[in-house]
Amino acid sequence: MAALTAAAVVAAGSAYAANRQGAAQKKAGRAQASAAQQTLDQQQALYNNAVEGAQPYAQAGTNALGQLEAVNRGDYSGFENAPDYLFARDQGIQGLDRGAAARGGLYSGGADADRMSFASGLASQNLGQYTNRLMGLTQLGSNTQQYLGQLGQNYGNQY
């Protein structure tokens, strides 16, 4: 009978130890799952911040592409309203007007021809610069989209 009692005590002790070990493993598993979720949450927050920060650059590229396509369709309104072009045009015409007024021919046909010639030449010179600036912005947008794609791929791989 003593042998049975000893065996029962040993069995009970083993069951208690196994139960306790199982509880510790469950607790460790929950802690590990919680840490993994916190890591995923942090990665998601970092990804969201990076996407939010990159959006203005991607949008600038998209806008520039639309303006560049408009120029290619023959719509020069964006160029004609560009502040740098307007300033150069207005300053040049103002100089021509002052010269013509000093000679007494402000409203003459010759002064009109001078204005048209100046504006045409200025537009030809500045249109290339305008399209180059737009191309730079479209490249910025394209690079940003590539960055966002790589960022998303990295996030997906880590997830």
Side-chain angles (χ1 to χ4, degrees):
M1 179 81 152
L4 273 175
T5 303
V9 168
V10 168
S14 294
Y16 175 75
N19 187 30
R20 200 175 152 133
Q21 184 180 12
Q25 287 175 342
K26 286 181 185 177
K27 185 177 180 180
R30 284 192 298 269
Q32 187 177 17
S34 176
Q37 185 61 50
Q38 287 175 348
T39 300
L40 288 174
D41 291 345
Q42 177 128 11
Q43 288 174 348
Q44 177 73 45
L46 291 171
Y47 172 77
N48 290 342
N49 286 340
V51 168
E52 184 179 332
Q55 286 304 319
Y57 301 98
Q59 189 62 45
T62 300
N63 292 342
L65 181 60
Q67 292 172 0
L68 190 58
E69 288 173 342
V71 168
N72 288 334
R73 287 190 312 267
D75 176 3
Y76 298 102
S77 61
F79 166 67
E80 291 168 346
N81 293 312
D84 57 336
Y85 171 71
L86 289 174
F87 179 79
R89 186 198 66 191
D90 293 348
Q91 291 298 304
I93 289 175
Q94 186 179 46
L96 289 171
D97 286 349
R98 286 181 180 156
R103 292 187 304 275
L106 179 60
Y107 298 108
S108 69
D112 289 341
D114 288 345
R115 286 184 208 102
M116 286 188 285
S117 177
F118 169 78
S120 175
L122 181 67
S124 294
Q125 290 173 354
N126 287 345
L127 182 60
Q129 294 171 0
Y130 176 76
T131 57
N132 286 340
R133 284 194 313 267
L134 291 176
M135 287 298 293
L137 286 172
T138 60
Q139 186 64 45
L140 174 68
S142 176
N143 291 345
T144 302
Q145 292 295 351
Q146 288 175 4
Y147 162 74
L148 289 172
Q150 291 170 351
L151 192 65
Q153 182 69 40
N154 291 342
Y155 175 73
N157 289 341
Q158 292 172 357
Y159 189 77

